[in-house]
Each structure stands twice: as structure tokens, then as C-alpha cells.
Amino acid sequence: MISNSLYEYIDKESIGSDLICLLCHNPFIDPTVTQCGDTYCRQCIEKYMRNGSHCPSQSCNQLLSTDHLIPPSHNFISILDKLKVRCQLCEKTNINRGTFDEHIKTSCPECILDCPGKNIGCQWFGSRNEHDEHTKTCLYEKLRRMGDILYRVIENQSLDIEKLQKQTEQQTTEIGQQKTKIELQKTQIEQLNTQGDQHNAQLERQATELGQQKTEIELQKTQIEQLNTQGDQHNAQ
Ligand SMILES: [Zn+2]
Ligand SMILES: [Zn+2]
Ligand SMILES: [Zn+2]
Ligand SMILES: [Zn+2]
């Protein structure tokens, strides 16, 4: 919760005593209910209980226990939220107390803000009014935007590199597969060559045998011719 020193209550005297904390005499902030049924700001009663053990209400004075602090009803909270306050920064009035944090965080023109480039070194701070104007011209902010763009470029390049790495890996795998295939084919060709060599040797052997048979046949033919010649001579005699 934003410090309650940034607002003041409108017409504080008219606020009912049932909404006022007995310890800080202001409307309850973050109220909590004790076991004995009395309501206090959480911070007030917790601080009080560091030294006091009994309810601060004189008419009650019962024993207190940190284990028995419960939140009040939603209705009670919503009554507190509707208390009207005035912003001490911009003087805007009639703000519901429950929405004061939002007023400071999102719209109070006098709220002091740091430059969004503070984390990269801009020392500037000023009211919300001046803030937008400063942000438009702040060198640090320009640098930050450039940094953001560069960062995105680098990120994209990293993605590209990752993609290329994946492609390269895939291609390496494919090359490996093709190498295996080529080696298999080489083995098959070698087997075929060996078979061819064996076949050639067989053919040569057969050719040699045929040559020998031819020689034998020719020899027999010559012998038969000689026998025929001898037979003819014999017949002539
Ligand atoms: Zn209090
Ligand atoms: Zn009490
Ligand atoms: Zn304001
Ligand atoms: Zn700046």
C-alpha cells in the first residue's frame, strides 16, 4: 500500500468512530479483528503486541493472541474503501481511498517517476507530466530501444544458426547413409568381379580341353587316313 502520507481525508471529523483505530486515531488501514472482537490496523496492533499483552480498549482489556487475528467483513472493508481522500501531490479531491494506489500508479500527474532507462544509467526523475516528454528525448531510452532491436537481430541470427546446424547434421547423416550404400555396392561389384574371374578361368580351361580334344581328333583322323591309304595299297596288290 502506498504511504497514507500522500493523501488527506476529506471532512475527517465526520468519519464514524467505528472506523477509527484506537491506537493511531486514523481510519483503519489493513484492519484486523482480535479474538475479543475489537478492530485495529494490522500494523498498529502488531506493534502494540510486542510490549502489550491485553486489548488496548479500556472497556475490554482481554488477553491478546497473534494466532487469533482475523480479517473483518467485506462490507466493513468496502466502507473504508469508499472514504473520500484528497491527493496531496496533485490536489485532486474526492478520490475513493480504495482507488488511491491506482491514482498514484497510473494517473496522478504530479507523481514522481524515474526514467524507464534508470536501470541502464539515466538519472532523470520527474513528475508524470514531464515524464512522457523526457522519455521521448532520453538518450538512454533511445539506446535501450536500439539495444532491444539489436538483441532481436542477434536472437534471429541465433535461430538461423540453429536451423543451419540442424540442416548440416541432417546432411551429414545422409552423406553417411550414402557412403554406406556406396561401400555395399563396391563389395557387390568386387564379388561380381571375382565371380567373373572364376568364370573366365573356367572358360579358358574348357578352351584348353577343347584344343586338346581337337588335337586328339586330328591325330585320330591322320591315323584313319593312314589306315585308309594302307588299305587302298593292300587292295591294289
Ligand atoms: Zn491504527
Ligand atoms: Zn478487546
Ligand atoms: Zn495525485
Ligand atoms: Zn532518461
Side-chain angles (χ1 to χ4, degrees):
M1 177 164 290
I2 287 164
S3 165
N4 51 358
S5 65
L6 292 182
Y7 60 74
E8 59 190 0
Y9 292 96
I10 297 167
D11 206 5
K12 194 178 171 188
E13 291 70 30
S14 70
I15 297 172
S17 61
D18 56 328
L19 300 180
I20 302 291
C21 171
L22 199 67
L23 291 168
C24 67
H25 310 292
N26 281 309
F28 297 112
I29 303 282
D30 186 20
T32 186
V33 182
T34 58
Q35 197 175 7
C36 51
D38 287 305
T39 305
Y40 300 97
C41 309
R42 176 176 296 279
Q43 255 192 349
C44 290
I45 194 67
E46 280 177 357
K47 194 173 155 197
Y48 172 86
M49 280 161 78
R50 278 181 222 148
N51 299 311
S53 56
H54 291 75
C55 183
S57 164
Q58 292 302 317
S59 58
C60 174
N61 203 34
Q62 290 186 48
L63 198 66
L64 293 170
S65 159
T66 37
D67 298 336
H68 291 94
L69 295 175
I70 57 164
S73 70
H74 287 296
N75 192 37
F76 190 74
I77 301 271
S78 90
I79 292 169
L80 286 167
D81 280 347
K82 281 178 197 143
L83 289 174
K84 302 296 180 205
V85 298
R86 178 190 298 112
C87 176
Q88 290 189 306
L89 295 175
C90 70
E91 301 296 324
K92 188 183 174 188
T93 191
N94 228 23
I95 304 170
N96 281 346
R97 197 187 81 172
T99 64
F100 186 76
D101 278 9
E102 205 185 313
H103 167 73
I104 290 295
K105 274 188 204 148
T106 66
S107 64
C108 179
E110 293 302 327
C111 177
I112 301 298
L113 299 171
D114 288 323
C115 173
K118 188 187 179 185
N119 59 344
I120 55 165
C122 183
Q123 308 272 319
W124 186 93
F125 59 88
S127 70
R128 176 170 277 116
N129 269 345
E130 302 157 325
H131 180 263
D132 288 352
E133 203 48 47
H134 168 78
T135 309
K136 273 182 216 151
T137 55
C138 173
L139 269 179
Y140 289 93
E141 267 301 276
K142 278 183 188 154
L143 273 175
R144 197 168 62 83
R145 279 196 291 273
M146 254 161 61
D148 284 351
I149 291 169
L150 278 175
Y151 181 77
R152 272 199 296 277
V153 168
I154 289 169
E155 229 180 12
N156 279 343
Q157 284 180 343
S158 298
L159 284 179
D160 283 351
I161 287 171
E162 256 175 54
K163 220 156 62 180
L164 282 174
Q165 271 174 346
K166 270 194 200 130
Q167 279 177 355
T168 306
E169 269 170 36
Q170 212 182 2
Q171 285 175 346
T172 307
T173 310
E174 281 174 6
I175 288 171
Q177 285 171 345
Q178 283 179 350
K179 217 174 115 185
T180 310
K181 260 195 223 171
I182 287 170
E183 265 163 29
L184 196 71
Q185 286 175 346
K186 217 173 110 186
T187 311
Q188 284 174 346
I189 288 169
E190 272 168 20
Q191 281 174 349
L192 285 175
N193 276 344
T194 310
Q195 283 175 357
D197 285 350
Q198 286 171 349
H199 197 67
N200 278 346
Q202 236 176 8
L203 283 178
E204 268 168 30
R205 260 204 313 275
Q206 285 175 349
T208 310
E209 278 171 11
L210 283 175
Q212 284 170 349
Q213 283 175 357
K214 198 180 145 198
T215 311
E216 267 173 45
I217 288 168
E218 267 165 18
L219 197 69
Q220 286 173 350
K221 201 178 135 194
T222 311
Q223 284 173 348
I224 289 168
E225 274 170 3
Q226 278 175 353
L227 285 175
N228 276 343
T229 311
Q230 282 174 3
D232 285 350
Q233 284 173 352
H234 193 71
N235 282 340
Q237 280 173 3

PDB file of all heavy atoms in Angstrom, residues 149-171:
ATOM      1  N   ILE A 149      16.439  -3.733 -30.376  1.00  0.00           N
ATOM      2  CA  ILE A 149      16.432  -4.133 -31.792  1.00  0.00           C
ATOM      3  C   ILE A 149      17.616  -5.057 -32.070  1.00  0.00           C
ATOM      4  O   ILE A 149      17.464  -6.125 -32.661  1.00  0.00           O
ATOM      5  CB  ILE A 149      16.485  -2.889 -32.707  1.00  0.00           C
ATOM      6  CG1 ILE A 149      15.157  -2.120 -32.593  1.00  0.00           C
ATOM      7  CG2 ILE A 149      16.736  -3.295 -34.149  1.00  0.00           C
ATOM      8  CD1 ILE A 149      15.180  -0.756 -33.230  1.00  0.00           C
ATOM      9  N   LEU A 150      18.804  -4.649 -31.590  1.00  0.00           N
ATOM     10  CA  LEU A 150      20.000  -5.466 -31.802  1.00  0.00           C
ATOM     11  C   LEU A 150      19.818  -6.841 -31.184  1.00  0.00           C
ATOM     12  O   LEU A 150      20.174  -7.858 -31.766  1.00  0.00           O
ATOM     13  CB  LEU A 150      21.220  -4.786 -31.174  1.00  0.00           C
ATOM     14  CG  LEU A 150      21.854  -3.698 -32.027  1.00  0.00           C
ATOM     15  CD1 LEU A 150      22.973  -3.020 -31.264  1.00  0.00           C
ATOM     16  CD2 LEU A 150      22.395  -4.295 -33.317  1.00  0.00           C
ATOM     17  N   TYR A 151      19.232  -6.830 -29.995  1.00  0.00           N
ATOM     18  CA  TYR A 151      19.027  -8.098 -29.294  1.00  0.00           C
ATOM     19  C   TYR A 151      18.159  -9.031 -30.139  1.00  0.00           C
ATOM     20  O   TYR A 151      18.457 -10.206 -30.292  1.00  0.00           O
ATOM     21  CB  TYR A 151      18.366  -7.834 -27.942  1.00  0.00           C
ATOM     22  CG  TYR A 151      18.127  -9.076 -27.138  1.00  0.00           C
ATOM     23  CD1 TYR A 151      19.177  -9.697 -26.458  1.00  0.00           C
ATOM     24  CD2 TYR A 151      16.863  -9.642 -27.073  1.00  0.00           C
ATOM     25  CE1 TYR A 151      18.970 -10.844 -25.733  1.00  0.00           C
ATOM     26  CE2 TYR A 151      16.644 -10.795 -26.352  1.00  0.00           C
ATOM     27  CZ  TYR A 151      17.699 -11.385 -25.678  1.00  0.00           C
ATOM     28  OH  TYR A 151      17.479 -12.525 -24.967  1.00  0.00           O
ATOM     29  N   ARG A 152      17.074  -8.426 -30.725  1.00  0.00           N
ATOM     30  CA  ARG A 152      16.185  -9.254 -31.553  1.00  0.00           C
ATOM     31  C   ARG A 152      16.918  -9.780 -32.777  1.00  0.00           C
ATOM     32  O   ARG A 152      16.756 -10.931 -33.169  1.00  0.00           O
ATOM     33  CB  ARG A 152      14.950  -8.444 -31.970  1.00  0.00           C
ATOM     34  CG  ARG A 152      13.834  -8.527 -30.940  1.00  0.00           C
ATOM     35  CD  ARG A 152      12.505  -8.127 -31.548  1.00  0.00           C
ATOM     36  NE  ARG A 152      12.509  -6.723 -31.961  1.00  0.00           N
ATOM     37  CZ  ARG A 152      12.270  -5.708 -31.144  1.00  0.00           C
ATOM     38  NH1 ARG A 152      11.994  -5.940 -29.881  1.00  0.00           N
ATOM     39  NH2 ARG A 152      12.298  -4.466 -31.575  1.00  0.00           N
ATOM     40  N   VAL A 153      17.765  -8.900 -33.388  1.00  0.00           N
ATOM     41  CA  VAL A 153      18.531  -9.322 -34.566  1.00  0.00           C
ATOM     42  C   VAL A 153      19.419 -10.503 -34.197  1.00  0.00           C
ATOM     43  O   VAL A 153      19.454 -11.527 -34.887  1.00  0.00           O
ATOM     44  CB  VAL A 153      19.384  -8.143 -35.098  1.00  0.00           C
ATOM     45  CG1 VAL A 153      20.391  -8.636 -36.119  1.00  0.00           C
ATOM     46  CG2 VAL A 153      18.483  -7.081 -35.712  1.00  0.00           C
ATOM     47  N   ILE A 154      20.125 -10.352 -33.054  1.00  0.00           N
ATOM     48  CA  ILE A 154      21.034 -11.420 -32.623  1.00  0.00           C
ATOM     49  C   ILE A 154      20.251 -12.700 -32.356  1.00  0.00           C
ATOM     50  O   ILE A 154      20.661 -13.790 -32.743  1.00  0.00           O
ATOM     51  CB  ILE A 154      21.812 -10.969 -31.360  1.00  0.00           C
ATOM     52  CG1 ILE A 154      22.825  -9.896 -31.749  1.00  0.00           C
ATOM     53  CG2 ILE A 154      22.510 -12.150 -30.695  1.00  0.00           C
ATOM     54  CD1 ILE A 154      23.460  -9.187 -30.577  1.00  0.00           C
ATOM     55  N   GLU A 155      19.065 -12.532 -31.735  1.00  0.00           N
ATOM     56  CA  GLU A 155      18.240 -13.704 -31.427  1.00  0.00           C
ATOM     57  C   GLU A 155      17.846 -14.424 -32.711  1.00  0.00           C
ATOM     58  O   GLU A 155      17.935 -15.639 -32.808  1.00  0.00           O
ATOM     59  CB  GLU A 155      16.989 -13.259 -30.683  1.00  0.00           C
ATOM     60  CG  GLU A 155      16.733 -14.054 -29.439  1.00  0.00           C
ATOM     61  CD  GLU A 155      15.482 -13.566 -28.725  1.00  0.00           C
ATOM     62  OE1 GLU A 155      14.716 -12.779 -29.320  1.00  0.00           O
ATOM     63  OE2 GLU A 155      15.282 -13.961 -27.594  1.00  0.00           O
ATOM     64  N   ASN A 156      17.429 -13.611 -33.736  1.00  0.00           N
ATOM     65  CA  ASN A 156      17.039 -14.195 -35.021  1.00  0.00           C
ATOM     66  C   ASN A 156      18.204 -14.938 -35.653  1.00  0.00           C
ATOM     67  O   ASN A 156      18.042 -16.026 -36.188  1.00  0.00           O
ATOM     68  CB  ASN A 156      16.564 -13.100 -35.985  1.00  0.00           C
ATOM     69  CG  ASN A 156      15.128 -12.712 -35.693  1.00  0.00           C
ATOM     70  OD1 ASN A 156      14.413 -13.456 -35.019  1.00  0.00           O
ATOM     71  ND2 ASN A 156      14.705 -11.566 -36.169  1.00  0.00           N
ATOM     72  N   GLN A 157      19.396 -14.315 -35.573  1.00  0.00           N
ATOM     73  CA  GLN A 157      20.571 -14.959 -36.160  1.00  0.00           C
ATOM     74  C   GLN A 157      20.883 -16.262 -35.440  1.00  0.00           C
ATOM     75  O   GLN A 157      21.242 -17.253 -36.072  1.00  0.00           O
ATOM     76  CB  GLN A 157      21.762 -14.011 -36.100  1.00  0.00           C
ATOM     77  CG  GLN A 157      21.660 -12.925 -37.160  1.00  0.00           C
ATOM     78  CD  GLN A 157      22.834 -11.984 -37.122  1.00  0.00           C
ATOM     79  OE1 GLN A 157      23.561 -11.934 -36.144  1.00  0.00           O
ATOM     80  NE2 GLN A 157      23.014 -11.221 -38.187  1.00  0.00           N
ATOM     81  N   SER A 158      20.714 -16.242 -34.118  1.00  0.00           N
ATOM     82  CA  SER A 158      20.946 -17.474 -33.358  1.00  0.00           C
ATOM     83  C   SER A 158      20.017 -18.566 -33.851  1.00  0.00           C
ATOM     84  O   SER A 158      20.421 -19.712 -34.029  1.00  0.00           O
ATOM     85  CB  SER A 158      20.703 -17.242 -31.870  1.00  0.00           C
ATOM     86  OG  SER A 158      21.592 -16.296 -31.376  1.00  0.00           O
ATOM     87  N   LEU A 159      18.742 -18.174 -34.103  1.00  0.00           N
ATOM     88  CA  LEU A 159      17.766 -19.155 -34.592  1.00  0.00           C
ATOM     89  C   LEU A 159      18.210 -19.698 -35.947  1.00  0.00           C
ATOM     90  O   LEU A 159      18.159 -20.897 -36.197  1.00  0.00           O
ATOM     91  CB  LEU A 159      16.383 -18.511 -34.713  1.00  0.00           C
ATOM     92  CG  LEU A 159      15.639 -18.287 -33.399  1.00  0.00           C
ATOM     93  CD1 LEU A 159      14.303 -17.620 -33.651  1.00  0.00           C
ATOM     94  CD2 LEU A 159      15.427 -19.603 -32.670  1.00  0.00           C
ATOM     95  N   ASP A 160      18.670 -18.757 -36.842  1.00  0.00           N
ATOM     96  CA  ASP A 160      19.142 -19.173 -38.167  1.00  0.00           C
ATOM     97  C   ASP A 160      20.290 -20.164 -38.030  1.00  0.00           C
ATOM     98  O   ASP A 160      20.334 -21.183 -38.714  1.00  0.00           O
ATOM     99  CB  ASP A 160      19.626 -17.952 -38.964  1.00  0.00           C
ATOM    100  CG  ASP A 160      18.445 -17.149 -39.509  1.00  0.00           C
ATOM    101  OD1 ASP A 160      17.307 -17.652 -39.400  1.00  0.00           O
ATOM    102  OD2 ASP A 160      18.668 -16.043 -40.021  1.00  0.00           O
ATOM    103  N   ILE A 161      21.233 -19.835 -37.131  1.00  0.00           N
ATOM    104  CA  ILE A 161      22.406 -20.699 -36.946  1.00  0.00           C
ATOM    105  C   ILE A 161      21.957 -22.074 -36.477  1.00  0.00           C
ATOM    106  O   ILE A 161      22.416 -23.097 -36.983  1.00  0.00           O
ATOM    107  CB  ILE A 161      23.386 -20.044 -35.942  1.00  0.00           C
ATOM    108  CG1 ILE A 161      24.076 -18.851 -36.608  1.00  0.00           C
ATOM    109  CG2 ILE A 161      24.422 -21.056 -35.468  1.00  0.00           C
ATOM    110  CD1 ILE A 161      24.890 -17.994 -35.676  1.00  0.00           C
ATOM    111  N   GLU A 162      21.006 -22.091 -35.548  1.00  0.00           N
ATOM    112  CA  GLU A 162      20.498 -23.378 -35.058  1.00  0.00           C
ATOM    113  C   GLU A 162      19.913 -24.195 -36.200  1.00  0.00           C
ATOM    114  O   GLU A 162      20.143 -25.390 -36.316  1.00  0.00           O
ATOM    115  CB  GLU A 162      19.406 -23.134 -34.015  1.00  0.00           C
ATOM    116  CG  GLU A 162      19.873 -23.373 -32.589  1.00  0.00           C
ATOM    117  CD  GLU A 162      18.792 -23.013 -31.590  1.00  0.00           C
ATOM    118  OE1 GLU A 162      17.665 -23.535 -31.717  1.00  0.00           O
ATOM    119  OE2 GLU A 162      19.070 -22.184 -30.705  1.00  0.00           O
ATOM    120  N   LYS A 163      19.136 -23.482 -37.071  1.00  0.00           N
ATOM    121  CA  LYS A 163      18.499 -24.151 -38.199  1.00  0.00           C
ATOM    122  C   LYS A 163      19.577 -24.741 -39.114  1.00  0.00           C
ATOM    123  O   LYS A 163      19.488 -25.895 -39.537  1.00  0.00           O
ATOM    124  CB  LYS A 163      17.648 -23.137 -38.973  1.00  0.00           C
ATOM    125  CG  LYS A 163      16.334 -23.711 -39.429  1.00  0.00           C
ATOM    126  CD  LYS A 163      15.255 -22.683 -39.664  1.00  0.00           C
ATOM    127  CE  LYS A 163      15.567 -21.693 -40.750  1.00  0.00           C
ATOM    128  NZ  LYS A 163      14.496 -20.707 -40.934  1.00  0.00           N
ATOM    129  N   LEU A 164      20.617 -23.918 -39.404  1.00  0.00           N
ATOM    130  CA  LEU A 164      21.701 -24.377 -40.275  1.00  0.00           C
ATOM    131  C   LEU A 164      22.410 -25.579 -39.665  1.00  0.00           C
ATOM    132  O   LEU A 164      22.742 -26.537 -40.368  1.00  0.00           O
ATOM    133  CB  LEU A 164      22.707 -23.240 -40.499  1.00  0.00           C
ATOM    134  CG  LEU A 164      22.266 -22.189 -41.517  1.00  0.00           C
ATOM    135  CD1 LEU A 164      23.248 -21.042 -41.550  1.00  0.00           C
ATOM    136  CD2 LEU A 164      22.156 -22.817 -42.904  1.00  0.00           C
ATOM    137  N   GLN A 165      22.618 -25.514 -38.341  1.00  0.00           N
ATOM    138  CA  GLN A 165      23.287 -26.634 -37.671  1.00  0.00           C
ATOM    139  C   GLN A 165      22.483 -27.909 -37.850  1.00  0.00           C
ATOM    140  O   GLN A 165      23.032 -28.967 -38.149  1.00  0.00           O
ATOM    141  CB  GLN A 165      23.444 -26.330 -36.183  1.00  0.00           C
ATOM    142  CG  GLN A 165      24.741 -25.588 -35.878  1.00  0.00           C
ATOM    143  CD  GLN A 165      24.819 -25.160 -34.429  1.00  0.00           C
ATOM    144  OE1 GLN A 165      23.814 -25.195 -33.730  1.00  0.00           O
ATOM    145  NE2 GLN A 165      25.983 -24.749 -33.986  1.00  0.00           N
ATOM    146  N   LYS A 166      21.139 -27.774 -37.695  1.00  0.00           N
ATOM    147  CA  LYS A 166      20.276 -28.951 -37.847  1.00  0.00           C
ATOM    148  C   LYS A 166      20.382 -29.498 -39.264  1.00  0.00           C
ATOM    149  O   LYS A 166      20.481 -30.700 -39.478  1.00  0.00           O
ATOM    150  CB  LYS A 166      18.830 -28.577 -37.520  1.00  0.00           C
ATOM    151  CG  LYS A 166      18.531 -28.783 -36.051  1.00  0.00           C
ATOM    152  CD  LYS A 166      17.051 -28.762 -35.753  1.00  0.00           C
ATOM    153  CE  LYS A 166      16.836 -28.473 -34.270  1.00  0.00           C
ATOM    154  NZ  LYS A 166      15.884 -27.409 -34.039  1.00  0.00           N
ATOM    155  N   GLN A 167      20.347 -28.551 -40.264  1.00  0.00           N
ATOM    156  CA  GLN A 167      20.439 -28.974 -41.662  1.00  0.00           C
ATOM    157  C   GLN A 167      21.753 -29.704 -41.902  1.00  0.00           C
ATOM    158  O   GLN A 167      21.791 -30.753 -42.548  1.00  0.00           O
ATOM    159  CB  GLN A 167      20.350 -27.755 -42.582  1.00  0.00           C
ATOM    160  CG  GLN A 167      18.910 -27.301 -42.810  1.00  0.00           C
ATOM    161  CD  GLN A 167      18.847 -26.054 -43.665  1.00  0.00           C
ATOM    162  OE1 GLN A 167      19.881 -25.488 -44.014  1.00  0.00           O
ATOM    163  NE2 GLN A 167      17.653 -25.617 -44.007  1.00  0.00           N
ATOM    164  N   THR A 168      22.847 -29.117 -41.370  1.00  0.00           N
ATOM    165  CA  THR A 168      24.163 -29.728 -41.550  1.00  0.00           C
ATOM    166  C   THR A 168      24.185 -31.128 -40.961  1.00  0.00           C
ATOM    167  O   THR A 168      24.683 -32.071 -41.579  1.00  0.00           O
ATOM    168  CB  THR A 168      25.235 -28.852 -40.870  1.00  0.00           C
ATOM    169  OG1 THR A 168      25.119 -27.534 -41.371  1.00  0.00           O
ATOM    170  CG2 THR A 168      26.625 -29.372 -41.140  1.00  0.00           C
ATOM    171  N   GLU A 169      23.590 -31.252 -39.756  1.00  0.00           N
ATOM    172  CA  GLU A 169      23.547 -32.570 -39.114  1.00  0.00           C
ATOM    173  C   GLU A 169      22.815 -33.574 -39.985  1.00  0.00           C
ATOM    174  O   GLU A 169      23.260 -34.701 -40.177  1.00  0.00           O
ATOM    175  CB  GLU A 169      22.845 -32.461 -37.757  1.00  0.00           C
ATOM    176  CG  GLU A 169      23.811 -32.179 -36.612  1.00  0.00           C
ATOM    177  CD  GLU A 169      23.074 -31.835 -35.335  1.00  0.00           C
ATOM    178  OE1 GLU A 169      21.995 -32.420 -35.093  1.00  0.00           O
ATOM    179  OE2 GLU A 169      23.558 -30.964 -34.588  1.00  0.00           O
ATOM    180  N   GLN A 170      21.665 -33.111 -40.548  1.00  0.00           N
ATOM    181  CA  GLN A 170      20.859 -33.986 -41.394  1.00  0.00           C
ATOM    182  C   GLN A 170      21.669 -34.408 -42.619  1.00  0.00           C
ATOM    183  O   GLN A 170      21.688 -35.582 -42.988  1.00  0.00           O
ATOM    184  CB  GLN A 170      19.610 -33.236 -41.829  1.00  0.00           C
ATOM    185  CG  GLN A 170      18.426 -34.159 -41.991  1.00  0.00           C
ATOM    186  CD  GLN A 170      17.218 -33.383 -42.473  1.00  0.00           C
ATOM    187  OE1 GLN A 170      17.305 -32.184 -42.720  1.00  0.00           O
ATOM    188  NE2 GLN A 170      16.109 -34.042 -42.620  1.00  0.00           N
ATOM    189  N   GLN A 171      22.362 -33.405 -43.227  1.00  0.00           N
ATOM    190  CA  GLN A 171      23.146 -33.706 -44.421  1.00  0.00           C
ATOM    191  C   GLN A 171      24.273 -34.680 -44.094  1.00  0.00           C
ATOM    192  O   GLN A 171      24.560 -35.590 -44.873  1.00  0.00           O
ATOM    193  CB  GLN A 171      23.701 -32.407 -45.010  1.00  0.00           C
ATOM    194  CG  GLN A 171      22.610 -31.616 -45.728  1.00  0.00           C
ATOM    195  CD  GLN A 171      23.086 -30.273 -46.214  1.00  0.00           C
ATOM    196  OE1 GLN A 171      24.146 -29.809 -45.817  1.00  0.00           O
ATOM    197  NE2 GLN A 171      22.309 -29.635 -47.063  1.00  0.00           N
TER     198      GLN A 171
END
